[in-house]
Amino acid sequence: MICKTQDDINGMLLAGKLTAEALKYAESLIKPNISTLELDKLIEKYIIDRGAKPSFLHYEGYPASICASVNSYVVHGIPSKDVILKEGDIISIDVGVIINGYNGDAARTFPVGKISPDKERLIRVTKECFFEGIKNLAVGKKLGELSFAIQNHAESNGYSVVRELVGHGIGHNMHEAPEVPNYGLKTSGVRVKEGMCLAVEPMINMGERYVYVAEDGWGIITRDGKPSAHYENTVIVTSNGVLITTLQNEDFCI
Ligand code: MF3
Ligand code: CO
């Protein structure tokens, strides 16, 4: 959506705040021996108890409230009692909430206990990709400037960018136009408008960029079996800079 009023901005900020809080809560739960289904149930309750709705549940038939993607899973891992976290894993948690008709959508990759330095670096660079991207996001620029910056940061660190999935517009619906690719030419994409709300979500692979779909029809997995990380925030482009709705404890503006 394009935020037209202060009420729209406030609506997006509240949805974003709850999304960020749900992710903070998720982080506090992550430890060896918990299953991804237990995480799903606890986070679902957390969202509902705050008067919001988990937007993923039943979305196009998706059966859970979070996506929980471990190691070589890029995104859309369906929570399961059989997926038990162990020391050294990385897990990407993606959460969406809807409240008062506004959406928040965000993801983080978390370490389970102590992880290898190469996984730590993957998580750090994926987060940096997001921030490099939004440094190049501004009213009047082409969206491709963000896409190019993300791809450039990932590839110059020896990683690859997943191309089959992209970020998206967001607002009254979780998925709206435009698409927000994490790769591409600076001259590509739409021209960024004031009030545009976007979910920017680099998905970065340690190895090759190629992925396949799991047998459940949802999970996206790296073809080479190497780890992947995800970092997503919902942002609003204003004439004074980019507001990040899903970062907590700071009215974050770049
Ligand atoms: N956060 C995901 C996205 O950005 C949505 C998860 S797919 C769902 O596209 F089906 F689980 F909702
Ligand atoms: Co998203």
Side-chain angles (χ1 to χ4, degrees):
M1 73 181 261
I2 307 283
C3 281
K4 295 237 159 53
T5 62
Q6 190 60 43
D7 281 356
D8 283 340
I9 292 175
N10 290 342
M12 289 300 288
L13 288 174
L14 176 63
K17 179 173 178 325
L18 290 179
T19 306
E21 287 170 356
L23 275 175
K24 270 274 165 237
Y25 175 60
E27 183 173 23
S28 76
L29 299 171
I30 287 170
K31 56 178 188 305
N33 292 323
I34 193 164
S35 74
T36 56
L37 188 64
E38 288 174 273
L39 293 174
D40 179 66
K41 290 300 161 208
L42 289 164
I43 295 163
E44 178 177 288
K45 179 170 172 6
Y46 182 95
I47 293 168
I48 292 169
D49 285 350
R50 275 153 191 79
K53 252 182 51 181
S55 54
F56 297 0
L57 188 60
H58 307 317
Y59 180 87
E60 292 183 2
Y62 189 73
S65 293
I66 67 166
C67 300
S69 309
V70 178
N71 296 332
S72 62
Y73 271 68
V74 179
V75 287
H76 301 172
I78 297 179
S80 163
K81 67 174 179 19
D82 300 324
V83 178
I84 315 265
L85 299 184
K86 56 182 195 308
E87 179 105 13
D89 286 343
I90 58 173
I91 178 172
S92 302
I93 305 241
D94 194 340
V95 186
V97 315
I98 178 159
I99 183 160
N100 302 329
Y102 294 94
N103 278 271
D105 184 2
R108 304 282 182 266
T109 301
F110 299 116
V112 183
K114 189 155 175 46
I115 61 171
S116 65
D118 59 338
K119 283 179 169 171
E120 269 172 15
R121 181 171 165 273
L122 176 68
I123 291 174
R124 176 176 56 77
V125 170
T126 302
K127 178 176 180 176
E128 287 169 3
C129 282
F130 169 86
F131 286 98
E132 287 301 315
I134 64 165
K135 269 191 218 165
N136 293 278
L137 176 64
V139 174
K141 286 194 182 197
K142 285 297 199 80
L143 197 50
E145 296 213 18
L146 166 140
S147 304
F148 178 85
I150 291 174
Q151 179 180 10
N152 186 49
H153 191 67
E155 292 180 353
S156 62
N157 279 281
Y159 297 145
S160 65
V161 173
V162 174
R163 301 191 184 192
E164 287 76 3
L165 298 118
V166 294
H168 48 92
I170 183 168
H172 292 307
N173 299 292
M174 173 167 59
H175 289 145
E176 299 184 3
E179 290 195 344
V180 184
N182 298 302
Y183 64 94
L185 299 177
K186 287 183 186 179
T187 49
S188 66
V190 299
R191 202 165 288 284
V192 176
K193 292 198 180 70
E194 184 172 357
M196 212 175 233
C197 298
L198 302 171
V200 177
E201 50 176 322
M203 288 153 267
I204 306 299
N205 293 351
M206 193 182 284
E208 292 183 2
R209 72 174 177 85
Y210 303 102
V211 296
Y212 66 97
V213 182
E215 272 178 25
D216 61 28
W218 281 100
I220 304 290
I221 309 170
T222 60
R223 204 170 76 179
D224 62 13
K226 292 189 180 168
S228 183
H230 188 198
Y231 186 91
E232 174 180 26
N233 283 307
T234 297
V235 308
I236 309 172
V237 189
T238 77
S239 50
N240 300 315
V242 177
L243 283 170
I244 305 176
T245 73
T246 47
L247 269 187
Q248 236 192 337
N249 296 336
E250 34 208 318
D251 200 6
F252 210 96
C253 195
I254 278 191

